[in-house]
């Protein structure tokens, strides 16, 4: 219950208009309570979904000393408390700063830590990557994972968005932020800027209005003519690890990529990577995957021929590959740069690598030098870029602003039309998060460090997503032939997928429309597999399944309406390699199917 501030005022103050104004202003400052907002916020560093948030606080400018806190906004849904905050200078949110976020969970100034007029039950020490929770008379130290803390961007910036799990239960079974009213305070160290200012408080009332449910992203391409690029850091040669290998295979079979950039393949040979892909995702008509490895750790694998390769920066993990796309489908080939930039605190080395990438791209666009690309050839930077430090490295990759000009030249706009490149931020298939690295045993919070950056003047994006199988429903897992912890066991990085729309040869759509566009999963399989046809048009199909000796073991015929999946039982068939023939009145395609014990 609020105190009656009028009781302490002299009678003449109550009858004086100027005193009424002063008193009213004082009330607004001391008890800043705002209308709550239940909003579907995505933690992806794009901020466009904050436009409707009305719960906000504007701080005084110029009162911050070394760091001026400017403003923040607050929203929530049933799972998270969301906060957007703005500063006057760039900081690394979870490193090298003294920022703390205080939350008075029970809105009771007599409990918790007394700070700036509130009783903070939860303190999140952003720069230290830790949290303190007052639990009765005890203070419990927590990791950011235990309070379900997420933030973007992962590089230094002036604006950040945060999420804290309402239903996290770091102590006992009680939810961390159950609802009702809370108070929020940001403070920079013990004597730095506060937001709200001294003598002010900010109250937030949780809004329990349901938000629009997140619609899970389907794993299939929306059109067979799109080119699917897939990147995954395999975590210390994961493709060679017998305990993790099958989990990688499950994901590859479910996602069905065309080009893959693997990172951390330290001891793996390119031929081994091609063999892995031949097992995980057999190509039709007995074709084999192609693979290249020029640097220490990156392997690029393609279902299409690889024409030429370049090591962009000696002794660094930057390999470019020109991939020969089918001339009867695409008007152009594509250049894929597989990158694994230096980790952690190596900002100077990452900046050199970013500068080297820009120099290479500018060389590719102009006659002479190391590489000459035909004009308007699409190109993509793909891989674990380890962007966790200064935001300048990402700025260089997108805009072409070179820092080390004496070594790499003056830089310049990298896209074909003289514009910036596009950072393809991708949400998870199951929720509104964009992080690609997650390790609850680390004190660093989930981060977005795996990227696709493309020349968007000559290509479009149809779909982009990251996959964390542990978040998928059992129905979706079964549908795609995945196990619940496939991605979690395989690596601490999540796989990232982007489908590109490239210029097609005139009439390609007409020429391919009569062919049944389909995918087979899981493959390899145990007991069954699905055939998923992409186009919803009637077509009569004759199926036959042959073993490795060419003997037909099963035939059947279906009138397919698409795009629903068709279940094929394989129980009772011996383990081994089989060939599924799919024949229509105009086409016949053979796909390899591996049946495991």
């Amino acid at each position: 219950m609020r105190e009656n501030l009028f009781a302490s005022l002299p009678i003449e103050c109550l009858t004086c208009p100027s005193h009424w104004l002063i008193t009213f202003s004082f009330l607004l400052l001391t008890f800043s309570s705002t209308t709550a907002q239940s909003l579907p916020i995505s933690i992806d560093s794009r901020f466009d979904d904050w436009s409707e948030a009305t719960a906000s606080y504007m701080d005084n400018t110029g009162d911050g000393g070394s760091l001026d806190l400017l403003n923040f906004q607050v929203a929530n849904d049933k799972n998270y408390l969301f906060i957007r905050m703005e500063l006057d200078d760039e900081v690394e949110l979870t490193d090298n700063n003294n920022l703390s976020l205080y939350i008075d969970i029970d809105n009771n100034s007599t409990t918790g830590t007394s700070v700036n007029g509130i009783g903070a039950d939860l303190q999140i020490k952003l720069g230290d990557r830790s949290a303190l929770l007052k639990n009765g008379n005890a203070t419990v130290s927590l990791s950011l994972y235990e309070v379900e803390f997420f933030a973007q961007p992962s590089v230094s910036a002036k604006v950040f968005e945060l999420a804290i799990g309402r239903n996290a239960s770091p102590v006992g079974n009680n939810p961390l932020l159950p609802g009702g009213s809370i108070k929020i305070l940001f403070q920079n160290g013990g004597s730095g800027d506060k937001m709200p200012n001294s003598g002010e408080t900010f109250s937030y009332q949780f809004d329990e209005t349901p938000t629009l449910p997140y619609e899970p992203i389907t794993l299939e391409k929306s059109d067979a003519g799109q080119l699917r690029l897939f990147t995954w850091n395999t975590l210390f040669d994961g493709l060679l690890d017998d305990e993790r290998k099958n989990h990688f295979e499950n994901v590859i079979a479910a996602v069905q990529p065309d080009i893959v950039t693997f990172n951390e393949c330290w001891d793996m040979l390119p031929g081994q990577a091609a063999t892995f892909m031949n097992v995980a995702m057999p190509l039709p008509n007995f074709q084999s995957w192609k693979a290249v490895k020029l640097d220490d750790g990156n392997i690029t694998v393609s279902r299409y021929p690889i024409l030429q390769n370049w090591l962009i920066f000696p002794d660094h993990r930057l390999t470019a590959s020109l991939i020969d796309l089918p001339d009867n489908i695409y008007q152009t080939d594509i250049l894929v740069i597989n990158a694994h930039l230096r980790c952690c605190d190596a900002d100077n080395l990452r900046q050199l690598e970013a500068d080297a990438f820009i120099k290479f791209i500018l060389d590719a666009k102009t006659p002479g030098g190391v590489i000459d690309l035909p004009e308007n050839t699409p190109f993509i930077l793909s891989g674990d870029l380890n962007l966790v430090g200064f935001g300048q490295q990402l700025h260089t990759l997108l805009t072409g602003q070179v820092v080390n000009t004496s070594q790499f030249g003056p830089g310049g706009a990298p896209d074909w039309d003289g514009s910036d490149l596009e950072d393809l931020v991708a949400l998870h298939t199951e929720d509104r998060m964009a992080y690609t690295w997650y390790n609850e045993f680390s004190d660093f919070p989930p981060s977005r460090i795996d990227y696709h950056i493309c020349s968007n003047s000559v290509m479009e994006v149809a779909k982009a997503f990251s996959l964390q199988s542990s978040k998928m429903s059992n129905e979706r897992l079964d549908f795609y032939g995945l196990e619940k912890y496939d991605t979690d066991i395989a690596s601490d990085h999540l796989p990232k997928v982007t489908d590109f729309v490239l210029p097609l040869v005139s009439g390609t759509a007409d020429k391919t429309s009569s062919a049944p566009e389909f995918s087979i999963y899981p493959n390899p399989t145990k007991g069954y597999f699905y055939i998923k046809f992409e186009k919803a048009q009637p077509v009569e199909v004759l199926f036959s399944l042959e073993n490795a000796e060419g003997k037909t073991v099963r035939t059947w015929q279906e009138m397919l309406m698409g795009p629903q999946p068709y279940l094929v039982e394989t129980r009772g068939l011996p383990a081994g390699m089989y060939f599924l023939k799919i024949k229509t009145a105009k086409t016949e395609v053979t796909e390899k199917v591996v049946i495991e014990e």
Side-chain angles (χ1 to χ4, degrees):
M1 185 174 182
R2 296 180 182 177
E3 296 178 8
N4 184 358
L5 297 181
F6 298 104
S8 61
L9 292 175
I11 294 295
E12 61 269 21
C13 292
L14 299 179
T15 59
C16 173
S18 62
H19 284 297
W20 272 108
L21 180 60
I22 293 170
T23 303
F24 183 65
S25 300
F26 179 75
L27 284 169
L28 289 179
L29 289 172
T30 306
F31 300 103
S32 176
S33 182
T34 56
T35 303
Q37 284 286 322
S38 179
L39 293 174
I41 299 293
S42 298
I43 303 300
D44 58 5
S45 71
R46 290 183 284 200
F47 309 114
D48 53 337
D49 43 8
W50 283 95
S51 60
E52 297 182 9
T54 60
S56 60
Y57 178 86
M58 297 293 296
D59 194 36
N60 298 333
T61 58
D63 64 344
S66 60
L67 183 64
D68 199 4
L69 312 183
L70 300 180
N71 60 75
F72 64 87
Q73 292 176 280
V74 188
N76 72 270
D77 64 10
K78 68 178 181 179
N79 295 318
Y80 295 102
L81 171 71
F82 301 114
I83 303 176
R84 176 192 182 275
M85 64 176 297
E86 185 171 1
L87 317 167
D88 77 325
D89 199 5
E90 280 196 15
V91 300
E92 297 174 55
L93 185 66
T94 55
D95 203 13
N96 300 317
N97 69 70
N98 295 312
L99 285 168
S100 280
L101 167 63
Y102 295 91
I103 300 178
D104 188 346
I105 295 173
D106 58 7
N107 203 4
N108 185 343
S109 61
T110 66
T111 62
T113 300
S114 180
V115 53
N116 200 37
I118 71 172
D121 308 289
L122 177 65
Q123 178 188 4
I124 297 180
K125 304 167 77 173
L126 296 168
D128 291 340
R129 302 181 296 279
S130 64
L132 297 174
L133 179 66
K134 290 286 186 177
N135 183 36
N137 295 323
T139 300
V140 182
S141 296
L142 302 171
S143 72
L144 295 183
Y145 288 87
E146 289 177 291
V147 298
E148 296 181 13
F149 176 90
F150 302 92
Q152 285 295 321
S154 300
V155 295
S156 66
K158 296 181 180 180
V159 184
F160 297 92
E161 54 187 352
L162 327 175
I164 301 167
R166 294 183 60 185
N167 300 312
S169 52
V171 178
N173 296 319
N174 296 323
L176 181 65
L177 301 171
S181 180
I182 62 174
K183 284 189 171 71
I184 294 173
L185 168 71
F186 284 95
Q187 184 165 324
N188 183 32
S191 58
D193 196 11
K194 298 180 181 68
M195 184 167 64
N197 289 319
S198 297
E200 303 174 21
T201 60
F202 179 91
S203 295
Y204 179 78
Q205 179 73 38
F206 280 99
D207 183 355
E208 305 301 346
T209 305
T211 59
L212 187 67
Y214 185 73
E215 183 177 352
I217 299 172
T218 59
L219 303 192
E220 298 86 4
K221 293 180 188 177
S222 56
D223 187 275
Q226 294 162 3
L227 186 75
R228 172 160 288 189
L229 178 66
F230 177 102
T231 191
W232 205 354
N233 181 315
T234 64
L235 183 62
F236 298 116
D237 284 309
L239 302 183
L240 297 175
D241 185 340
D242 289 338
E243 294 184 358
R244 293 188 285 152
K245 184 177 179 180
N246 65 304
H247 299 286
F248 284 101
E249 291 174 349
N250 290 345
V251 174
I252 291 289
V255 172
Q256 297 283 302
D258 298 310
I259 301 169
V260 182
T261 57
F262 286 126
N263 303 133
E264 290 201 25
C265 298
W266 309 120
D267 296 324
M268 193 174 204
L269 299 174
Q272 291 175 299
T275 300
F276 166 83
M277 290 298 297
N278 286 335
V279 173
M281 182 186 160
L283 297 177
N285 302 321
F286 311 105
Q287 299 178 67
S288 178
W289 286 83
K290 295 79 180 172
V292 63
K293 180 181 183 182
L294 295 188
D295 58 51
D296 181 20
N298 293 334
I299 297 182
T300 300
V301 191
S302 170
R303 68 186 304 157
Y304 304 117
I306 301 175
L307 295 174
Q308 196 171 356
N309 302 285
W310 298 265
L311 184 59
I312 292 178
F313 193 18
D315 299 323
H316 293 260
R317 301 182 294 259
L318 277 163
T319 291
S321 299
L322 182 61
I323 295 175
D324 183 15
L325 300 183
D327 293 341
N328 63 328
I329 301 177
Y330 301 103
Q331 295 182 19
T332 178
D333 295 327
I334 192 166
L335 182 73
V336 175
I337 299 96
N338 189 347
H340 184 194
L341 305 188
R342 293 301 174 94
C343 180
C344 313
D345 295 328
D347 280 284
N348 292 334
L349 286 175
R350 272 199 305 277
Q351 186 61 56
L352 290 172
E353 292 166 337
D355 291 346
F357 166 75
I358 292 300
K359 178 182 178 181
F360 179 81
I361 290 300
L362 296 179
D363 177 19
K365 291 167 53 184
T366 55
V370 175
I371 174 177
D372 290 329
L373 281 182
E375 187 174 358
N376 293 329
T377 299
F379 59 87
I380 308 159
L381 179 66
S382 173
D384 174 8
L385 302 189
N386 274 318
L387 296 178
V388 293
F390 300 147
Q392 176 61 47
Q393 294 137 38
L394 178 58
H395 186 69
T396 294
L397 294 172
L398 297 177
T399 68
Q401 183 187 70
V402 170
V403 172
N404 301 283
T405 54
S406 61
Q407 185 173 355
F408 298 101
D415 208 345
W416 288 102
D417 64 351
S419 65
D420 297 346
L421 302 180
E422 183 177 3
D423 175 9
L424 303 177
V425 181
L427 295 180
H428 294 184
T429 60
E430 314 302 314
D431 63 20
R432 297 182 178 94
M433 294 288 174
Y435 64 83
T436 64
W437 176 86
Y438 182 99
N439 186 342
E440 62 184 15
F441 300 106
S442 170
D443 62 340
F444 284 95
S447 306
R448 185 172 76 94
I449 58 179
D450 301 88
Y451 282 73
H452 284 160
I453 294 175
C454 79
S455 54
N456 64 324
S457 70
V458 292
M459 62 200 309
E460 298 178 5
V461 174
K463 180 186 291 187
F465 61 84
S466 293
L467 177 65
Q468 189 167 11
S469 59
S470 57
K471 295 182 178 181
M472 300 177 76
S473 67
N474 290 334
E475 292 77 13
R476 294 220 333 141
L477 290 168
D478 290 343
F479 183 82
Y480 290 112
L482 292 169
E483 297 177 13
K484 188 171 185 63
Y485 296 104
D486 273 336
T487 58
D488 298 49
I489 295 173
S491 177
D492 55 357
H493 289 251
L494 302 180
K496 180 179 171 62
V497 177
T498 306
D499 293 338
F500 292 100
V501 179
L502 303 179
L504 300 177
V505 173
S506 178
T508 296
D510 295 335
K511 288 185 285 185
T512 60
S513 61
S514 61
E517 299 167 1
F518 63 92
S519 56
I520 297 175
Y521 55 90
N523 190 12
T525 177
K526 295 179 181 179
Y528 68 94
F529 62 85
Y530 288 100
I531 306 173
K532 177 80 183 313
F533 291 84
E534 308 298 339
K535 291 194 173 182
Q537 63 181 30
V539 57
E540 189 170 15
V541 181
L542 176 65
F543 297 92
S544 64
L545 189 64
E546 298 179 356
N547 62 20
E549 298 173 353
K551 180 181 178 181
T552 300
V553 296
R554 188 174 299 171
T555 61
W556 71 101
Q557 193 165 337
E558 293 278 0
M559 175 62 73
L560 304 179
M561 305 302 293
Q564 67 271 26
Y566 290 82
L567 177 67
V568 179
E569 294 280 355
T570 62
R571 291 178 178 86
L573 293 177
M577 186 177 297
Y578 292 80
F579 301 95
L580 177 67
K581 290 186 177 181
I582 301 177
K583 184 177 182 180
T584 69
K586 297 182 179 180
T587 62
E588 181 175 333
V589 180
T590 300
E591 288 281 355
K592 187 187 300 181
V593 178
V594 176
I595 298 177
E596 297 180 333
E597 294 181 354

